[in-house]
Amino acid sequence: DKISNYFFDGIEEDSVNFKENYDGQNLEPEVLPTKLPNILLNGSSGIAVGMATNIPPHNLYELNEAIIQLIKNPSITNNKLIKYIHGPDLPTGGEINLSESEKKDIYIKGKGSFLISSKWKIENLKNGLYQIVINEIPYQINKTKIIEQLANLINSKKVPIDDVADESDENIRIVLKPKNRNIDSKKLMELCFKLSDLSIRFSCNFNVLEDGQVPKQLGLKDILSHFINHRKNTIKRKSEFKIKKINLRLEILQGYLIAYQYLDSIIKIIRKNNDPKKIIIKKYKLTNNQAEAILSMRLGSLKKIDENNTKKEIKELSDEKKYLKKLITNKIALNNYLIEDTKNINAEIDEDISKRRSLITKKTFTNNEVSFEEFVEVEKITILITKDKLIKKIKDHISFDQLKKTDQKIESAIHLMSNEKILIFVSSGRVFSLDPNILPSGKSNPKSIFYFIDAITNDKLVGIIKAETNKFCILVSERGKGFVSEISSMLTNQKKGKKIFNLKSSDVLVKVLECNKNHLAAVNKSGKLLIIDIKNLPILQKGGGVQIIKIKEGDALSDIKLIDLSEGLSWKTGSKVRNITDIKFWIGKRAQSGKKVPKFFNKNLKFFY
């Protein structure tokens, strides 16, 4: 009630203009004669035609301090004035992250934004476990919406939380139960802030009606200056109203003094005449109001003490009238009155109302960098690819030879950690990134790789490579085109993959090899072999490549192999692996036709099969 009274200061003392309400039946104030800067205190938001406003609530004590400083020094700089306002103060509390530059944008320019984060604490449980309790949520955010968001994140396994519970009564209490005791609570909450409305950005737009007429974007100083001018106008109008009342009362009191002075004569006139009012007005030069007041006096008020009280009241009212006139005419007196009045408001208001609810911080958040992968326990895994191009994963790093002994269907194996990704290359020249954790594991049957990627019809698997940084691979097409590319640059989040090889019509990607040696041996289906230095191939992120070995019309690339010249060239014929060390004959420049394959080279023109 005390707070609401501040909004109606002098409303019955002509401090503001009144107008007819919507149906003309009553009068309503054009604007409230408030002692408080309500537009900043309680905030405001709304959308009109072609304009909008969004002003957050603020702390009353801080606003009053800024008002006092502005009255004392109207030419105070914006930078100095905004030091008295720490930032918005929201009824729902929370933690406000507000940098100096953001603060200046909001309070000087009248437009900007700030971050509001929920406040939370840790409650320790038995056996080293803990739970997180959220007790303050962002301003204007629905609690039910937050709980639904968190539940969806848990169901979709985007946050390492087992359960969310609403234990709120009149106070907010949202309980989060992490999946295990080793999860870092701060990083967990940063992830929740990133993915839900537990943290939001509030956009400010200090668009106000200047003088109640013109929409304008104003900063803190301008808004408070307008409020101070409004206060001065209401105080002056209230003072003028009071002066009129005092004048009327003084007129009556002066009449009383005359009555006390000529009491006996006036009583005789009243006793003897039918219309004593006219006679006493004429005889003692009284006004009509004074005569009416004298004739209405009670006998009990004719005591000497009442005469003294009348003189005392005249003195007090005259002094008050003098002060009120000073408020109207003297700027310094009016400023001093306003300062004292504002200080009194701060002193009168209960601490539980005036205390700040929202904590202001300037810390830099890193929540954009936190991801769910940080909370997943990293383990060694081996990916198995069968001859039928089916894929699955098993725990630990197990050698290919050991795996081959247990299952002859296995064609290749890749060792990696569970937080690493694999790249899948298909014949249309696209590459897909895959999280190995989604692959079937343990005793589950392997699945086709195309079950996990959004490939196009007729796409064939070309190769699977572990995604590693600072490593390169060679991509080669059936028409003998190829280039080198950095493996890490091929990672993509797109479900449809990433086009990396620009293939001409009828050409397809046929081979992808990790660059682990310095020369490339290529053989075509017409039986020609060419060995080139891989330095002669361009390094591209995406492209059509260059010719590696000449391919005539009707011919095609059969196979490629990376080699070191010192080790010679090896291939498999039947069950025997053959090797030749003198390979100078086949070394040439890129795009040459090559020379006939060595003696005893296998008939299907593959190095290994």
Side-chain angles (χ1 to χ4, degrees):
D1 285 346
K2 186 182 280 188
I3 288 284
S4 61
N5 287 337
Y6 289 127
F7 289 95
F8 301 94
D9 180 47
I11 196 162
E12 294 175 350
E13 298 173 311
D14 194 40
S15 55
V16 289
N17 292 331
F18 277 71
K19 63 180 181 180
E20 288 186 348
N21 70 339
Y22 69 97
D23 62 0
Q25 297 297 310
N26 295 297
L27 291 175
E28 63 183 13
E30 289 181 358
V31 62
L32 290 178
T34 177
K35 286 187 173 188
L36 309 176
N38 187 53
I39 198 163
L40 290 170
L41 178 63
N42 286 318
S44 181
S45 65
I47 299 171
V49 180
M51 68 189 76
T53 188
N54 203 27
I55 302 171
H58 288 79
N59 182 267
L60 176 55
Y61 185 83
E62 291 171 18
L63 288 172
N64 281 345
E65 282 299 306
I67 287 166
I68 289 167
Q69 295 304 319
L70 188 53
I71 295 168
K72 285 181 178 178
N73 180 13
S75 60
I76 189 172
T77 63
N78 279 306
N79 285 333
K80 284 184 179 177
L81 186 65
I82 65 174
K83 286 180 181 177
Y84 296 95
I85 305 287
H86 297 144
D89 190 17
L90 312 171
T92 51
E95 187 174 303
I96 292 173
N97 185 245
L98 185 68
S99 68
E100 281 301 320
S101 61
E102 287 171 335
K103 188 177 179 182
K104 285 180 180 179
D105 283 344
I106 293 167
Y107 293 114
I108 296 176
K109 296 178 184 176
K111 191 159 186 159
S113 66
F114 59 90
L115 198 70
I116 316 171
S117 297
S118 301
K119 283 185 82 173
W120 57 277
K121 62 181 179 180
I122 290 173
E123 285 184 355
N124 293 314
L125 306 172
K126 291 178 182 177
N127 303 322
L129 297 170
Y130 74 91
Q131 63 185 20
I132 291 169
V133 176
I134 297 157
N135 45 32
E136 290 178 14
I137 60 175
Y139 181 57
Q140 293 179 330
I141 297 297
N142 186 285
K143 180 192 67 174
T144 307
K145 182 186 176 186
I146 287 177
I147 291 165
E148 284 176 2
Q149 287 176 337
L150 291 169
N152 289 334
L153 290 171
I154 292 167
N155 292 336
S156 58
K157 296 181 178 177
K158 290 183 178 177
V159 290
I161 297 171
D162 269 337
D163 190 29
V164 55
D166 182 12
E167 297 180 4
S168 307
D169 43 29
E170 67 270 15
N171 298 313
I172 296 284
R173 182 178 165 87
I174 301 168
V175 180
L176 306 180
K177 296 187 177 176
K179 279 195 173 291
N180 62 64
R181 72 190 75 184
N182 299 320
I183 288 173
D184 185 310
S185 59
K186 287 185 179 177
K187 285 192 174 181
L188 173 58
M189 287 310 295
E190 283 191 18
L191 182 63
C192 290
F193 287 166
K194 177 184 175 183
L195 299 176
S196 76
D197 285 344
L198 283 172
S199 180
I200 63 159
R201 185 155 282 279
F202 188 98
S203 295
C204 298
N205 184 8
F206 286 22
N207 196 6
V208 300
L209 289 176
E210 192 174 34
D211 298 323
Q213 300 291 326
V214 184
K216 198 171 182 182
Q217 199 168 72
L218 300 180
L220 176 72
K221 185 177 176 180
D222 287 331
I223 291 174
L224 292 183
S225 295
H226 280 287
F227 170 71
I228 290 166
N229 288 336
H230 172 65
R231 283 284 291 128
K232 286 179 177 179
N233 287 334
T234 60
I235 291 165
K236 285 178 181 178
R237 287 184 60 155
K238 190 169 75 166
S239 299
E240 285 168 353
F241 180 85
K242 284 181 177 179
I243 288 170
K244 286 176 185 176
K245 281 188 76 175
I246 288 170
N247 284 338
L248 186 59
R249 180 64 178 161
L250 285 173
E251 181 186 345
I252 303 298
L253 293 172
Q254 293 292 347
Y256 286 165
L257 285 183
I258 292 168
Y260 289 128
Q261 188 177 353
Y262 303 103
L263 188 57
D264 293 338
S265 300
I266 289 171
I267 290 171
K268 282 179 184 178
I269 293 168
I270 294 168
R271 295 270 296 164
K272 291 179 180 179
N273 294 283
N274 292 331
D275 188 5
K277 183 179 172 184
K278 282 184 180 177
I279 298 168
I280 62 171
I281 287 174
K282 189 175 181 181
K283 187 172 182 179
Y284 302 109
K285 296 179 181 176
L286 300 173
T287 64
N288 188 64
N289 289 335
Q290 287 173 331
E292 287 280 357
I294 290 167
L295 292 171
S296 302
M297 287 176 79
R298 295 185 346 264
L299 288 172
S301 64
L302 301 177
K303 303 188 298 288
K304 186 68 178 176
I305 192 168
D306 288 316
E307 184 180 351
N308 292 336
N309 287 339
T310 301
K311 289 177 180 176
K312 185 180 177 185
E313 190 179 347
I314 289 171
K315 173 74 170 66
E316 288 170 353
L317 289 174
S318 298
D319 289 344
E320 187 182 350
K321 180 181 171 181
K322 188 178 178 183
Y323 179 67
L324 291 171
K325 281 186 173 179
K326 198 173 181 183
L327 288 182
I328 295 168
T329 57
N330 189 306
K331 290 181 181 178
I332 295 171
L334 182 57
N335 283 345
N336 289 337
Y337 172 83
L338 254 177
I339 289 168
E340 286 306 310
D341 198 37
T342 307
K343 285 179 179 177
N344 289 338
I345 293 170
N346 281 350
E348 288 166 6
I349 290 174
D350 294 336
E351 191 182 339
D352 63 328
I353 294 173
S354 62
K355 71 179 180 184
R356 172 167 276 282
R357 284 168 167 73
S358 297
L359 177 69
I360 304 286
T361 68
K362 295 179 184 178
K363 66 185 179 186
T364 304
F365 280 86
T366 57
N367 54 7
N368 289 328
E369 298 167 14
V370 179
S371 64
F372 179 70
E373 283 71 26
E374 284 192 41
F375 302 96
V376 177
E377 202 169 333
V378 179
E379 57 183 5
K380 292 179 179 179
I381 55 173
T382 301
I383 292 176
L384 311 177
I385 300 110
T386 70
K387 290 176 182 176
D388 298 327
K389 307 306 178 190
L390 304 179
I391 190 167
K392 70 177 283 187
K393 72 171 188 286
I394 56 173
K395 282 187 177 182
D396 296 323
H397 287 170
I398 300 167
S399 70
F400 176 71
D401 292 337
Q402 192 177 340
L403 291 165
K404 194 77 173 169
K405 286 177 186 175
T406 57
D407 189 350
Q408 288 295 315
K409 292 179 183 176
I410 295 171
E411 184 180 64
S412 60
I414 300 170
H415 292 165
L416 71 160
M417 305 304 289
S418 59
N419 63 343
E420 294 177 311
K421 284 186 167 60
I422 53 171
L423 296 175
I424 298 158
F425 297 84
V426 294
S427 53
S428 60
R430 300 190 85 80
V431 61
F432 299 84
S433 301
L434 190 70
D435 179 358
N437 294 295
I438 68 170
L439 297 175
S441 60
K443 293 182 180 179
S444 304
N445 292 325
K447 284 186 176 179
S448 166
I449 194 68
F450 293 101
Y451 179 84
F452 303 101
I453 61 173
D454 193 7
I456 60 172
T457 311
N458 300 326
D459 253 337
K460 292 178 182 175
L461 179 66
V462 173
I464 301 175
I465 289 178
K466 174 182 167 183
E468 292 180 275
T469 53
N470 302 321
K471 290 203 172 181
F472 295 81
C473 66
I474 288 179
L475 297 94
V476 182
S477 78
E478 194 175 50
R479 297 296 302 158
K481 296 266 188 173
F483 62 90
V484 174
S485 191
E486 189 175 6
I487 291 173
S488 61
S489 72
M490 300 183 199
L491 282 164
T492 175
N493 291 322
Q494 295 177 16
K495 285 187 177 181
K496 291 189 176 181
K498 183 179 181 181
K499 183 78 173 175
I500 192 162
F501 209 127
N502 295 330
L503 298 161
K504 291 186 177 176
S505 59
S506 77
D507 198 7
V508 290
L509 182 65
V510 290
K511 203 88 171 181
V512 178
L513 295 176
E514 191 179 322
C515 293
N516 51 12
K517 298 192 175 169
N518 52 31
H519 278 70
L520 176 70
V523 60
N524 59 27
K525 288 185 177 177
S526 60
K528 297 288 180 69
L529 169 69
L530 177 67
I531 298 171
I532 64 167
D533 192 329
I534 62 169
K535 287 180 183 175
N536 293 325
L537 297 179
I539 298 173
L540 306 171
Q541 281 193 350
K542 177 184 179 181
V546 295
Q547 200 70 41
I548 293 173
I549 184 171
K550 191 172 182 179
I551 303 288
K552 292 179 181 176
E553 193 66 36
D555 196 6
L557 185 80
S558 179
D559 200 7
I560 60 165
K561 185 187 177 188
L562 285 160
I563 63 169
D564 281 334
L565 296 183
S566 58
E567 294 173 358
L569 181 70
S570 58
W571 67 89
K572 191 175 181 181
T573 304
S575 59
K576 188 183 284 187
V577 175
R578 295 182 178 270
N579 179 268
I580 54 171
T581 53
D582 187 8
I583 54 175
K584 287 180 184 175
F585 178 70
W586 290 276
I587 296 172
K589 292 181 180 178
R590 180 182 65 74
Q592 287 182 338
S593 299
K595 293 170 182 175
K596 191 174 168 60
V597 294
K599 198 176 181 184
F600 305 118
F601 200 81
N602 62 62
K603 290 178 182 178
N604 65 6
L605 298 167
K606 301 274 185 185
F607 292 105
F608 287 91
Y609 53 91

